[in-house]
Amino acid sequence: MINPRLQKIKIHGFRSFGTNQQSFELSPTVTVLWGGNSQGKTSLAEAMEFLLTGQIVRRELMASTKEEFSDSLRNVHIPDATSVFVSAEVICSDGKMRCLKRTLIEDYKKGTQGCTSKVEIDGERSQEIDIQTILGVKLFQAPLSAPILAQHTLGYIFSAG
């Protein structure tokens, strides 16, 4: 049995990513992103987090700014009918390659309402628990469910009791 890992991520219409599907190969060990401001680093990290958990933790960790996250997952420059999704090729714990895809159904709204999404594994509708049972990806306890480190999650780690 091997540790599962994301091998390649594909993003379409999510946050700073537009209508042209973009893909990113991930290292088998540690992936570190470097780039100038407004180049998509946070959007990529949040796309991976959305793929695994169906939400972005930055909205929860920064409770005073929840209003700012209204309609924040769909790229504002794409038509409403355009599908927004994040998918990944996952090397699973059983060694098989599978495709995990999460499609945004409804974006965050003002107030406390969360977003809704649809999860598929190899093109079949799946449940949240299937990410662990089929793919072998074990998530952590909230709020840092996905193993994605970004500025806001590091701030939480170093300030939590």
Side-chain angles (χ1 to χ4, degrees):
M1 184 127 76
I2 62 171
N3 289 326
R5 71 176 187 87
L6 302 180
Q7 181 170 299
K8 182 177 186 177
I9 189 165
K10 297 175 186 174
I11 305 170
H12 184 265
F14 185 87
R15 294 187 42 82
S16 68
F17 296 91
T19 56
N20 294 329
Q21 179 176 290
Q22 297 181 42
S23 62
F24 186 79
E25 299 277 339
L26 300 169
S27 165
T29 53
V30 174
T31 299
V32 176
L33 300 174
W34 176 87
N37 290 339
S38 299
Q39 298 301 305
K41 300 177 301 295
T42 300
S43 291
L44 177 61
E46 289 179 347
M48 290 188 286
E49 183 178 29
F50 174 74
L51 174 67
L52 295 172
T53 68
Q55 60 183 338
I56 53 173
V57 74
R58 185 166 54 132
R59 182 176 186 266
E60 301 308 315
L61 292 178
M62 305 172 110
S64 63
T65 62
K66 282 187 179 181
E67 296 297 315
E68 294 175 22
F69 283 89
S70 297
D71 300 311
S72 65
L73 300 183
R74 169 182 287 282
N75 183 299
V76 298
H77 301 291
I78 64 173
D80 289 342
T82 302
S83 179
V84 174
F85 68 85
V86 181
S87 68
E89 295 173 3
V90 181
I91 299 175
C92 302
S93 55
D94 62 6
K96 292 182 181 175
M97 178 79 71
R98 292 187 175 90
C99 179
L100 171 63
K101 180 178 180 180
R102 186 177 297 268
T103 304
L104 181 67
I105 302 298
E106 187 171 9
D107 207 336
Y108 288 114
K109 299 295 179 201
K110 290 190 185 279
T112 59
Q113 179 184 335
C115 64
T116 57
S117 60
K118 173 179 74 170
V119 178
E120 297 173 272
I121 297 176
D122 291 337
E124 297 289 325
R125 183 76 184 245
S126 301
Q127 303 297 316
E128 296 295 327
I129 192 68
D130 294 334
I131 294 172
Q132 181 172 332
T133 59
I134 295 174
L135 304 180
V137 176
K138 293 182 181 161
L139 300 176
F140 304 119
Q141 292 181 347
L144 300 180
S145 301
I148 309 295
L149 295 179
Q151 181 179 6
H152 55 276
T153 57
L154 288 171
Y156 173 79
I157 289 170
F158 292 119
S159 67

